[in-house]
Amino acid sequence: MEWYTYLALFSAFVCVGVFTYRLVYLLSLGMPKDLSQQIGSVKKGIIYSFTGAMSPTAKESAYLHLPTYTAGLLYHAGIFTSILFFVWVIISGFFAIDTPQFVNYALILLFSVSAIAGISILIKRFISPELKMLSIADDYISNILTTLAQIATVAYIYWAAAPFYYIVMTALFLWMPFGKTKHVLYFFFARIHLGFFYGRRNAWPTVRKNRI
Amino acid sequence: MNRDKTIDKKELALELLKPGGDSKLITHLNSCVRCGLCADSCMYYKALGEAKFVPSVKVDLVSSLYRRYYTKSGKIAPTVFGARDLDKEMEEKMIDLLFGACTMCGRCVKHCSIGVDIPYVVRKGREMLAIMDLVPETLQSTVDAAINTGNNMAIPTEEFVDTIKWMEEELIDEMGDENARIPLDEYDKDIFYTLNPREPKFFPLSIGAIAKVFYAAKESWTLSSKFYDVTNYGFFNGNLKEAAQISAYLYDEIHKLRGKRLILGECGHGSRAHRWEGPNYLNKKYDFDNITVVDLIGEYIRTGRIKVDKSLNKEIHTIHDPCNLIRSGGLMRELRFIVDCSVENLVEMTPYGEDNFCCGGGGGALAMSEYNERRLKIGKIKADQISATGAKIVITPCHNCVDQLLQINHTYKLGVTIKTIAEVVADALVIEK
């Protein structure tokens, strides 16, 4: 293994370590103590929070903004796959396993589309007055790093550009726990808290309006 | 000396953001990705069109302070991570946006791509401002009135009792029954009922309406002549001690009168504050049933304790869903059940239920006269919703909403009548003698 592979591996361990620490910390803090008389189901509320409440038909942020929503989905699909691909690259390196060619082509397609989606989201942040006002450096850095990770993965698969790939992944892993990319962890807790809050009040799951 | 006190208060305010307690605060302070997709779900942004009204801007005010004072990254590289100081400029922004541009209606929460509990974060910001004595005076005076007199309009007990006696005479006349009563300060009743002080002050007929419903149900009930106020503006000003004090008034009074069930009158935030937050303010489980009047009327109809005839309400009705009762209170189904039983022709607004827009009067906005112009501008969204239904009557089980809807009705010349749920049900009652 080259030095840059070790560097990427080290940064991946740091990333996983920080997230694990935060996960344990959040779990140790637990849910809010609520002494009010519960009437609904927390379990149903939490399940709904991750399912029906996330449906694009239930969210204005999705159905009023379909191009951005679609770009976001593709972007996230690419991000998660690229992280899994990194794990695969390390494992396959140890055991000298080749990735089938058709899988490589499929991945190149996914990462390319994901990178385009990331760039389009970045452009939107640059040109929308609302987003410009809202944005901080973290928003741009997080986007550029994750988009670059898709491009680097394509470069690694297609041109075997290993140094570029590992250095970009190193930067991404070191940034992830500190930039807004940390929402990869907090997202799940936010959904759980919403399910807890609305579930115990019997507000979630919401009623299908044609069934009232 | 004063400067030291200011610094102490700032430190105390910032303590509220210190990680610990439970995982809710730290989760929501770390979750927003500033995608800005919440903008279209906020009536302030939709009506006024300025970027500063986007809900995530409001979240960022509070979370940037958290990053500045409680994260290493924010301390080391504040510009990169958007970590800001709690200075004069920040305080002014917080007052303007957290008090003056958010009713904490929660509509943005449902539509947030992540699920950030935006009103929860806004309320945390208000709590910080309350510690720093930066609550708008208009809102604070409403809370002060409730703390000092037992009701937020500072209605003297004699005046309240007179109004109740007047309504009782009306009830006797309407029912043709000398035994019809509006009981005051009676012990061991099944129901301890509460009112929004706007009822005795401006809308006494709504007291007559609920009294008629209780008469029809042959209910054993009472009002308190002193602590009848269902509102809790401590829920809005962010002062948890004051919120707890106001909750304690009702808690202590029902115990004093040995009532069995606390029925929260027609007030959205008041119902939420006492039903869902009260036990947490007071740090104890309630040892009595604590439900809203919507639940109670639904129960009456289901169990046959009252009979309603929907043909008595023939005009086109629509429902304005109070945010705290419906989106955050889970009463959408129950409210529809009552209205379906009581009116012949219901046309829903678009959108409605948990997606409904706030009337614009929530979050203490009605009390903060300095934001009146803004409040009426955002009310245009509700005015358009009402107009599109073609309804002549708007039903809402919340007196704060009633007030805002009356002003919207006047401002946008809607020509509708606003009614509470008790008024609609009272009009549909079939009373067997």
Side-chain angles (χ1 to χ4, degrees):
Chain A
M1 282 204 289
E2 300 292 334
W3 63 270
Y4 43 76
T5 314
Y6 284 113
L7 194 63
L9 263 178
F10 171 75
S11 65
F13 279 118
V14 170
C15 178
V16 170
V18 175
F19 275 124
T20 305
Y21 169 78
R22 288 195 184 151
L23 174 67
V24 171
Y25 180 62
L26 284 168
L27 291 173
S28 73
L29 290 177
M31 301 302 283
K33 188 174 78 168
D34 194 331
L35 298 170
S36 62
Q37 192 185 352
Q38 182 177 332
I39 53 164
S41 160
V42 168
K43 188 178 158 192
K44 283 182 184 171
I46 292 174
I47 291 170
Y48 178 76
S49 182
F50 282 100
T51 54
M54 287 301 288
S55 157
T57 57
K59 281 189 180 296
E60 286 180 350
S61 52
Y63 64 75
L64 293 181
H65 302 273
L66 275 179
T68 305
Y69 177 71
T70 310
L73 280 185
L74 291 167
Y75 192 38
H76 281 80
I79 294 162
F80 285 113
T81 312
S82 66
I83 290 169
L84 289 175
F85 183 77
F86 175 82
V87 176
W88 169 250
V89 166
I90 299 299
I91 292 170
S92 62
F94 274 116
F95 298 103
I97 310 166
D98 282 336
T99 314
Q101 202 56 19
F102 76 94
V103 174
N104 280 336
Y105 285 131
L107 289 173
I108 286 171
L109 179 68
L110 172 64
F111 295 135
S112 302
V113 171
S114 174
I116 292 166
I119 292 166
S120 68
I121 291 169
L122 184 63
I123 292 170
K124 189 181 172 191
R125 195 171 281 282
F126 273 116
I127 59 176
S128 156
E130 285 81 7
L131 281 180
K132 260 166 75 176
M133 186 220 167
L134 191 56
S135 298
I136 56 176
D138 176 17
D139 297 310
Y140 299 102
I141 297 168
S142 294
N143 183 302
I144 289 167
L145 273 178
T146 37
T147 305
L148 211 53
Q150 319 296 303
I151 295 167
T153 311
V154 171
Y156 178 79
I157 298 170
Y158 199 76
W159 291 291
F164 175 56
Y165 173 67
Y166 283 110
I167 288 167
V168 169
M169 292 308 284
T170 299
L172 177 67
F173 286 134
L174 290 179
W175 181 262
M176 264 182 80
F178 306 104
K180 74 168 182 182
T181 32
K182 62 178 178 275
H183 76 270
V184 67
L185 172 67
Y186 291 102
F187 164 81
F188 295 98
F189 280 85
R191 300 305 313 175
I192 290 168
H193 278 291
L194 288 192
F196 178 88
F197 177 87
Y198 290 111
R200 70 192 310 285
R201 296 168 181 223
N202 206 26
W204 282 10
T206 55
V207 191
R208 277 199 194 164
K209 289 176 179 167
N210 57 3
R211 288 196 186 164
I212 293 172
Chain B
M1 189 69 180
N2 278 341
R3 195 169 167 276
D4 289 347
K5 272 186 184 170
T6 308
I7 291 168
D8 285 349
K9 282 180 179 170
K10 268 190 190 176
E11 281 171 3
L12 282 174
L14 287 166
E15 281 279 309
L16 286 179
L17 302 180
K18 193 174 182 178
D22 59 61
S23 62
K24 186 171 180 174
L25 179 63
I26 191 171
T27 292
H28 291 300
L29 290 175
N30 279 293
S31 297
C32 181
V33 293
R34 294 172 292 276
C35 67
L37 295 177
C38 50
D40 287 319
S41 303
C42 176
M43 58 187 172
Y44 281 92
Y45 176 77
K46 278 177 86 78
L48 305 171
E50 287 180 55
K52 69 174 183 176
F53 295 121
V54 175
S56 48
V57 172
K58 299 162 197 170
V59 169
D60 206 52
L61 287 176
V62 182
S63 60
S64 67
L65 294 172
Y66 159 76
R67 291 192 292 269
R68 176 68 184 85
Y69 294 96
Y70 294 109
T71 67
K72 286 197 173 57
S73 50
K75 283 176 186 169
I76 295 165
T79 312
V80 174
F81 293 100
R84 279 173 281 179
D85 287 321
L86 181 54
D87 52 20
K88 195 80 190 154
E89 186 192 349
M90 176 58 111
E91 287 170 6
E92 281 168 10
K93 276 188 185 168
M94 286 174 76
I95 294 166
D96 183 52
L97 293 177
L98 306 185
F99 276 113
C102 180
T103 62
M104 303 190 290
C105 74
R107 192 170 189 277
C108 48
V109 179
K110 182 174 178 278
H111 296 290
C112 169
S113 53
I114 298 283
V116 181
D117 194 338
I118 295 161
Y120 169 77
V121 177
V122 167
R123 192 169 300 112
K124 201 50 78 175
R126 288 188 178 198
E127 285 174 29
M128 293 176 72
L129 292 168
I131 287 176
M132 295 187 286
D133 295 329
L134 293 173
V135 176
E137 276 179 30
T138 43
L139 177 58
Q140 188 55 48
S141 66
T142 307
V143 179
D144 291 343
I147 296 282
N148 297 330
T149 70
N151 73 85
N152 76 31
M153 302 199 85
I155 303 170
T157 303
E158 303 73 35
E159 186 184 323
F160 176 72
V161 171
D162 279 351
T163 304
I164 295 302
K165 290 297 162 202
W166 167 38
M167 282 300 106
E168 188 174 74
E169 286 164 16
E170 294 287 320
L171 184 70
I172 290 167
D173 289 347
E174 190 181 352
M175 296 297 104
D177 183 353
E178 285 296 324
N179 295 318
R181 305 272 329 278
I182 300 185
L184 273 175
D185 299 326
E186 296 194 1
Y187 288 82
D188 299 311
K189 296 294 176 182
D190 289 341
I191 282 182
F192 172 72
Y193 191 65
T194 53
L195 300 168
N196 185 312
R198 287 173 194 276
E199 295 181 76
K201 193 81 180 170
F202 304 121
F203 309 103
L205 294 180
S206 79
I207 303 173
I210 192 64
K212 193 174 160 185
V213 173
F214 285 144
Y215 175 84
K218 300 182 175 58
E219 187 58 87
S220 146
W221 71 293
T222 189
L223 285 168
S224 161
S225 60
K226 176 76 176 165
F227 296 112
Y228 53 84
D229 184 356
V230 69
T231 71
N232 189 339
Y233 273 71
F235 179 65
F236 291 144
N237 80 342
N239 187 321
L240 298 183
K241 278 186 188 159
E242 290 174 343
Q245 179 64 55
I246 294 168
S247 281
Y249 285 156
L250 291 188
Y251 182 90
D252 293 343
E253 192 68 357
I254 190 173
H255 279 101
K256 188 187 118 191
L257 294 175
R258 299 189 299 268
K260 294 184 181 67
R261 304 174 88 187
L262 171 61
I263 305 299
L264 303 163
E266 299 198 49
C267 177
H269 89 271
S271 293
R272 177 172 170 183
H274 291 290
R275 168 70 182 84
W276 296 106
E277 319 298 343
N280 299 315
Y281 291 148
L282 298 178
N283 199 27
K284 54 186 161 197
K285 287 187 175 180
Y286 284 4
D287 52 359
F288 46 83
D289 207 8
N290 174 23
I291 61 169
T292 70
V293 69
V294 174
D295 294 292
L296 184 70
I297 293 175
E299 184 184 301
Y300 285 162
I301 296 174
R302 281 179 212 284
T303 55
R305 280 187 72 176
I306 61 171
K307 288 194 173 62
V308 279
D309 177 359
K310 60 164 75 180
S311 70
L312 296 171
N313 283 322
K314 285 190 188 307
E315 285 195 279
I316 303 174
H317 290 66
T318 190
I319 301 172
H320 164 67
D321 292 295
C323 309
N324 284 309
L325 287 175
I326 306 301
R327 195 160 25 241
S328 298
L331 287 172
M332 176 165 139
R333 209 174 338 205
E334 201 62 3
L335 181 58
R336 261 75 196 167
F337 168 71
I338 298 168
V339 172
D340 282 344
C341 293
S342 310
V343 311
E344 211 167 60
N345 199 344
L346 171 69
V347 178
E348 291 282 11
M349 293 187 201
T350 306
Y352 71 96
E354 76 279 356
D355 283 323
N356 200 23
F357 281 99
C358 173
C359 60
L366 276 171
M368 294 182 276
S369 52
E370 56 270 54
Y371 301 113
N372 275 353
E373 195 183 332
R374 214 180 255 180
R375 174 168 59 81
L376 287 173
K377 276 186 184 165
I378 62 167
K380 173 82 165 55
I381 293 174
K382 182 55 59 185
D384 291 343
Q385 274 193 294
I386 294 170
S387 287
T389 63
K392 292 289 169 208
I393 295 169
V394 182
I395 306 167
T396 189
C398 168
H399 271 279
N400 277 7
C401 296
V402 167
D403 251 27
Q404 169 76 349
L405 291 173
L406 285 170
Q407 289 193 39
I408 289 173
N409 192 18
H410 172 77
T411 306
Y412 297 102
K413 299 180 174 39
L414 300 177
V416 294
T417 303
I418 319 294
K419 285 189 174 180
T420 62
I421 193 69
E423 287 168 346
V424 171
V425 171
D427 286 346
L429 274 177
V430 178
I431 298 178
E432 289 157 355
K433 300 264 174 171

